[in-house]
């Protein structure tokens, strides 16, 4: 699957530190110290109603992480899936009278355009589920062979009782697990399952639904959680460094995809660190497709809001915190961008090879320090605000704002 063009990143003097990040599983900040290569898997969109600010908040956050890693001298290997066949997509296609393939292609194209506008560095591997059916089939066959999965009619389910570490990511109680599973795509009432929480791995073919050759599994299509497990294992290998996504994916999605990986590979910790972004609210509720309270990046762009303003509005909020979007976010971000551009206009046209002065060195150091502290983007923005007020104008600051924050002031 095609991603989108990558922005060119300026080289900065020296190296920034490897960031400390908040690990959901342990509840602590950890220094993820890879040996020269940082591997990242972030769950991608189900392509309908793309791209709203909740999506953008997540992908800008992990884009920032990739930028900080690169500034620390690390090679970044990043994989992201696209759930281009799933129940919500099929339901939307039926409701709108659009072929599901056309709906998915249209929304994926819109997402690509939005990511390019926001100057998000594309993943090295941008992978659709439809093109990964073979990987999923192999994974499910392996789980059946080891007794970690079982059949119910034409469907296949994971047997969670086989994994003694299930629950070690979310640390939820049984009642919370039951509630989230039912709310977030699970089928706890399915007759024949060994346990209500056991997740679907392979859905046997149904009349009127798309299906693919599953070899010994029969025709069907993937369950939700197994797709990410299969794609992550194939493109990154295990263990990989960071598993990322929104907080609403902690359970059941990340808990279950990690369990699948654990049983597929015998690796006890397939992901070393779990990073989760907060949820974005609007009009008093979390932005959600079901509620319809969505603010779309493409609509803001069409209304003339600069992409840099949208990105700055996002970066003003810490990635791990929930926040409520209002028009004031864009107004403040617009004023900030205007201030930075005014300062940039007084900057000599120096390249990144120029020796920075003390003011520029201090600004760069403050930005790096803030971003190394669990990606504190708000504090990094303040460092640039102070630079814009003092008039210490040097090209290296413009390079730093571009390379670390994704804002082109030139």
């Amino acid at each position: 699957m095609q991603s989108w063009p990558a922005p060119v990143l300026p080289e900065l003097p020296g190296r920034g530190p490897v960031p400390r990040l908040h690990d959901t599983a342990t509840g602590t900040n950890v220094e993820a110290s890879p040996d020269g290569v940082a591997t990242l898997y972030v769950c991608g969109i189900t392509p309908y109603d793309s791209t709203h600010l909740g999506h953008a908040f997540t992908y800008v956050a992990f884009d920032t992480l990739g930028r900080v890693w690169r500034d620390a001298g690390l090679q970044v290997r990043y994989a992201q899936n696209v759930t281009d066949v799933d129940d919500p997509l099929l339901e939307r296609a039926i409701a709108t009278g659009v072929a599901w393939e056309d709906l998915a292609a249209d929304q994926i194209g819109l997402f690509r355009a939005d990511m390019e506008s926001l100057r998000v560095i594309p993943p090295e591997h941008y992978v659709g589920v439809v093109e990964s059916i073979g990987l999923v089939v192999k994974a499910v066959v392996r789980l059946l062979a080891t007794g970690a999965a079982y059949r119910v009619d034409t469907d296949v389910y994971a047997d969670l009782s086989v994994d003694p570490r299930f629950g070690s990511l979310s640390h939820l109680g049984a009642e919370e697990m039951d509630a989230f599973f039912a709310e977030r795509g699970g089928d706890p009432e399915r007759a024949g399952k060994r346990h209500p929480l056991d997740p679907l791995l392979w859905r046997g073919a149904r009349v009127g639904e798309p299906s693919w050759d599953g070899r010994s599994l029969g025709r069907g299509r993937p369950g939700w959680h197994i797709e990410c497990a299969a794609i992550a294992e194939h493109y990154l290998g295990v263990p990989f460094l960071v598993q990322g996504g929104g907080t609403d994916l902690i359970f059941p999605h990340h808990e279950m995809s990690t369990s699948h990986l654990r049983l597929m590979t015998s690796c006890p910790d397939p992901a070393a660190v779990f990073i989760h972004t907060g949820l974005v609210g609007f009009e008093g509720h979390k932005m959600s497709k079901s509620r319809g309270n969505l603010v779309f990046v493409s609509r803001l762009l069409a209304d003339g809001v600069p992409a840099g303003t949208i990105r700055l509005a996002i970066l003003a909020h810490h990635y791990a915190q929930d926040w409520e979007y209002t028009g004031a976010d864009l107004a403040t971000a617009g004023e900030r961008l205007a201030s930075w551009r005014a300062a940039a206009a007084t900057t000599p046209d120096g390249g990144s090879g120029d020796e920075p002065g003390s003011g520029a060195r201090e600004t760069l150091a403050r930005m790096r320090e803030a971003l190394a502290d669990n990606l504190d983007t708000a504090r990094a923005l303040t460092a640039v605000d102070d630079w814009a007020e003092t008039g210490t104008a040097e090209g290296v600051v413009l390079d730093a704002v571009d390379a670390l924050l994704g804002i082109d002031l030139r």
Side-chain angles (χ1 to χ4, degrees):
M1 180 173 286
Q2 182 182 2
S3 58
W4 54 91
V8 177
L9 300 188
E11 286 286 336
L12 301 179
R15 290 294 183 197
V18 175
R20 291 182 62 80
L21 303 167
H22 185 78
D23 177 24
T24 302
T26 63
T28 62
N29 284 10
V30 298
E31 183 175 312
S33 301
D35 184 17
V37 179
T39 44
L40 170 66
Y41 186 90
V42 178
C43 296
I45 61 166
T46 300
Y48 67 103
D49 285 341
S50 300
T51 312
H52 60 71
L53 280 180
H55 291 140
F57 186 50
T58 291
Y59 300 116
V60 167
F62 288 104
D63 178 60
T64 304
L65 174 58
R67 289 168 180 270
V68 174
W69 273 339
R70 289 178 175 89
D71 184 49
L74 301 175
Q75 177 189 349
V76 178
R77 293 183 55 226
Y78 178 11
Q80 184 182 129
N81 74 307
V82 181
T83 305
D84 53 354
V85 61
D86 198 20
D87 287 345
L89 171 66
L90 301 178
E91 291 163 3
R92 176 61 60 87
I94 292 171
T96 57
V98 178
W100 67 270
E101 302 97 327
D102 294 339
L103 176 60
D106 176 74
Q107 294 294 296
I108 293 167
L110 183 58
F111 179 77
R112 290 191 193 104
D114 290 342
M115 293 297 101
E116 183 178 2
S117 295
L118 292 174
R119 305 190 76 239
V120 170
I121 301 169
E124 178 185 4
H125 303 289
Y126 188 58
V127 187
V129 172
V130 170
E131 66 186 286
S132 306
I133 298 293
L135 297 179
V136 173
V137 170
K138 289 179 182 178
V140 176
V141 168
R142 284 157 60 193
L143 291 171
L144 278 168
T146 61
Y150 60 94
R151 296 177 183 270
V152 178
D153 300 326
T154 60
D155 301 335
V156 181
Y157 285 86
D159 187 346
L160 295 178
S161 69
V162 177
D163 181 10
R165 297 194 60 190
F166 179 76
S168 59
L169 165 59
S170 61
H171 305 288
L172 296 176
E175 289 186 4
E176 292 174 299
M177 286 187 180
D178 290 344
F180 282 136
F181 186 67
E183 291 170 7
R184 297 172 178 173
D187 58 352
E189 303 300 325
R190 172 67 190 275
K193 290 172 58 174
R194 295 175 183 173
H195 190 281
L197 286 180
D198 286 349
L200 182 69
L201 297 171
W202 184 255
R203 178 178 169 88
R206 265 67 160 180
V207 175
E209 294 185 4
S211 63
W212 289 264
D213 180 9
R215 301 203 300 266
S216 63
L217 303 179
R219 290 194 66 83
R221 58 183 170 91
W224 179 23
H225 317 300
I226 190 64
E227 70 182 66
C228 285
I231 291 171
E233 182 197 17
H234 181 77
Y235 289 97
L236 297 180
V238 294
F240 55 93
L241 186 61
V242 170
Q243 166 81 68
T247 55
D248 54 346
L249 296 184
I250 297 172
F251 193 92
H253 185 52
H254 285 170
E255 188 77 74
M256 291 184 174
S257 62
T258 300
S259 177
H260 297 340
L261 269 175
R262 196 178 288 128
L263 297 172
M264 286 160 56
T265 66
S266 299
C267 177
D269 295 299
V273 182
F274 292 87
I275 310 296
H276 291 98
T277 57
L279 303 178
V280 182
F282 182 54
E283 298 176 338
H285 299 276
K286 169 204 163 185
M287 280 191 197
S288 68
K289 299 168 184 177
S290 59
R291 187 173 290 275
N293 60 333
L294 303 176
V295 178
F296 292 101
V297 170
S298 58
R299 196 162 298 160
L300 293 174
L301 293 171
D303 289 341
V305 179
T309 296
I310 300 170
R311 185 164 178 126
L312 280 176
I314 290 169
L315 292 173
H317 301 275
H318 192 275
Y319 80 86
Q321 300 300 314
D322 296 344
W323 57 286
E324 177 87 4
Y325 167 78
T326 70
D329 288 287
L330 286 182
T332 300
E335 293 169 1
R336 171 172 267 149
L337 184 60
S339 170
W340 290 9
R341 289 199 184 282
T346 68
T347 300
D349 188 21
S352 51
D354 294 345
E355 183 65 27
S358 59
R361 287 198 303 269
E362 179 184 358
T363 300
L364 175 57
R366 288 177 61 192
M367 292 173 68
R368 281 172 163 166
E369 179 184 21
L371 294 170
D373 183 13
N374 196 26
L375 304 183
D376 191 343
T377 52
R379 185 150 57 97
L381 299 190
T382 298
V384 184
D385 289 339
D386 293 344
W387 160 79
E389 289 180 3
T390 62
T392 307
E394 294 190 54
V396 70
V397 178
L398 307 191
D399 288 344
V401 171
D402 188 348
L404 298 175
L405 299 178
I407 303 295
D408 184 4
L409 296 178
R410 283 190 164 88

